[in-house]
């Protein structure tokens, strides 16, 4: 007869996954070390599978233990949501919402907005995935997408929060050379994985003879190289705001203005958790865009 896993089993595995040692797991469970050791051995025997491998780093979970720990965490979240619901009544917003955006948008726009309102929703869990494609939302791997685009997919619904301009950005010491001899400056650009990026298209049209000194797989990396003083790049105004000594070395680049869209699938509109996030994000992101816009 197959062994039936209990809540106590899941809690035991989760404690050892988090603690990595018997002593830390015992502290988390408020039992003694010998109890944790015997319980793990008993559970492994009942399951007929090893759950942990012991080495110098402690108890390393197998795939089976990792899967059990993930289920245990979900159970924890469900219990926490239930407790909050009892305390706050039926108006509590709970559940898990999956949101996808690019690295650059995450660091420059989304994180400040989340830090502002997420503490108000302790029963709401947010899963974040960074991607440059809309495929995540289309495959139902995400519920909300935050994207810089002038052509949002027709099968998604949402709102345009405003527009972002691009500027040539870098340290002040590059300003004169940019005017006199742009080809003499080290340029930083997205790599071939992003051939249609606004900044790539603009640079090839404006400076066809310029070959980038650095190529990056995402715009967050591009901005970090610019911040390190390694060269210049075309970046959005909101990105420059958090890069310290980096300045806008040009005016808004012609033909590069891009809309910021907050999108979801039609089937998600009725989900209270999704609707709550959309309503909380929209005004905060719109305000952040306005602050980063020139004069």
């Amino acid at each position: 007869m197959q062994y039936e896993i209990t809540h106590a089993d899941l809690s035991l595995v989760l404690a050892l996954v988090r603690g990595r040692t018997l002593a830390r797991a015992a502290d988390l469970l408020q039992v003694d070390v010998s109890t944790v050791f015997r319980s793990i051995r008993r559970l492994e025997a009942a399951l007929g599978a090893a759950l942990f491998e012991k080495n110098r780093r402690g108890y390393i979970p197998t795939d089976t233990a990792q899967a059990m720990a993930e289920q245990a965490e979900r159970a924890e979240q469900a219990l926490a949501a239930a407790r909050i619901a009892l305390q706050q009544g039926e108006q509590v917003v709970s559940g898990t919402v999956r949101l996808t955006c690019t690295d650059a948008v995450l660091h420059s726009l989304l994180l400040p907005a989340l830090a502002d309102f997420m503490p108000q929703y302790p029963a709401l869990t947010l899963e974040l995935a960074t991607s440059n494609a809309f495929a995540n939302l289309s495959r139902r791997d995400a519920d909300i997408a935050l994207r810089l685009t002038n052509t949002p997919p027709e099968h998604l619904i949402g709102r345009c929060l405003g527009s972002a301009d691009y500027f040539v950005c870098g340290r002040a010491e590059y300003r004169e050379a940019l005017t006199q001899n742009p080809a003499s400056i080290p340029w930083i650009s997205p790599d071939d994985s992003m051939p249609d990026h606004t900044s790539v298209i603009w640079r090839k049209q404006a400076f066809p003879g310029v070959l980038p000194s650095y190529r990056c797989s995402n715009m967050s990396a591009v901005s970090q190289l610019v911040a390190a003083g390694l060269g210049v790049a075309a970046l959005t105004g909101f990105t420059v705001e958090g890069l310290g000594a980096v300045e806008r070395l040009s005016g808004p680049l012609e033909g590069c203005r891009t809309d910021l869209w907050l999108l979801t699938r039609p089937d998600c509109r009725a989900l209270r958790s999704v609707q709550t996030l959309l309503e909380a994000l929209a005004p905060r992101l719109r305000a952040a865009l306005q602050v980063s816009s020139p004069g």
Side-chain angles (χ1 to χ4, degrees):
M1 183 171 162
Q2 188 175 10
Y3 179 75
E4 293 187 5
I5 296 173
T6 67
H7 183 267
D9 295 333
L10 293 178
S11 298
L12 172 68
V13 172
L14 180 59
L16 193 48
V17 168
R18 287 174 171 171
R20 292 299 174 98
T21 69
L22 294 175
R24 290 175 187 161
D27 287 340
L28 291 171
L29 294 169
Q30 297 184 333
V31 298
D32 57 60
V33 172
S34 61
T35 298
V36 176
F37 179 79
R38 291 195 304 270
S39 298
I40 286 293
R41 290 290 174 263
R42 189 181 304 117
L43 180 57
E44 287 180 326
L47 295 174
L51 295 175
F52 295 88
E53 297 176 2
K54 181 71 166 62
N55 63 24
R56 293 180 180 179
R57 293 182 295 160
Y59 281 76
I60 308 303
T62 63
D63 290 344
T64 300
Q66 196 63 53
M68 291 176 67
E70 290 174 2
Q71 294 298 327
E73 286 184 329
R74 292 192 181 97
E76 273 189 348
Q77 293 168 358
L79 283 172
R83 294 189 187 102
I84 294 170
L86 287 173
Q87 294 170 359
Q88 300 183 7
E90 296 181 358
Q91 298 305 310
V92 67
V93 178
S94 62
T96 298
V97 178
R98 297 161 297 174
L99 189 153
T100 177
C101 64
T102 64
D103 284 279
V105 168
L106 171 67
H107 294 292
S108 301
L109 286 178
L110 182 59
L111 288 183
L114 293 179
D116 185 43
F117 75 83
M118 278 299 287
Q120 302 172 34
Y121 302 100
L124 187 62
T125 301
L126 188 61
E127 294 182 356
L128 289 170
T130 54
S131 167
N132 292 314
F134 279 106
N136 297 67
L137 206 60
S138 303
R139 293 198 307 263
R140 298 174 180 257
D141 291 337
D143 306 307
I144 296 175
L146 185 59
R147 285 289 186 267
L148 277 170
T149 179
N150 289 329
T151 55
E154 294 182 359
H155 64 281
L156 301 180
I157 60 173
R159 65 194 79 177
C160 178
L161 303 178
S163 300
D165 284 307
Y166 280 79
F167 306 80
V168 176
C169 302
R171 297 285 184 90
E173 55 262 32
Y174 291 116
R175 187 180 299 276
E176 184 176 351
L178 178 64
T179 303
Q180 297 180 357
N181 186 11
S184 68
I185 305 174
W187 285 78
I188 304 165
S189 171
D191 62 20
D192 292 339
S193 66
M194 302 169 67
D196 299 323
H197 193 272
T198 301
S199 65
V200 174
I201 295 173
W202 171 83
R203 193 199 73 251
K204 289 182 176 179
Q205 293 175 344
F207 302 113
V210 167
L211 294 177
S213 300
Y214 305 92
R215 297 177 186 269
C216 306
S217 60
N218 59 67
M219 290 305 295
S220 181
V222 170
S223 65
Q224 291 306 307
L225 266 66
V226 173
L230 294 176
V232 301
L235 300 173
T236 58
F238 63 77
T239 300
V240 184
E241 297 297 320
L243 294 183
V246 175
E247 300 179 5
R248 300 176 185 182
L249 304 179
S250 74
L253 303 180
E254 186 176 354
C256 291
R257 176 167 289 189
T258 308
D259 294 334
L260 179 68
W261 285 85
L262 187 60
L263 301 158
T264 188
R265 302 192 312 270
D267 59 294
C268 287
R269 283 184 298 180
L271 297 177
R272 187 177 179 194
S273 54
V274 171
Q275 193 61 38
T276 297
L277 268 179
L278 292 174
E279 294 302 323
L281 280 174
R284 290 170 172 83
L285 294 173
R286 189 178 289 114
L289 270 184
Q290 291 174 350
V291 168
S292 66
S293 298

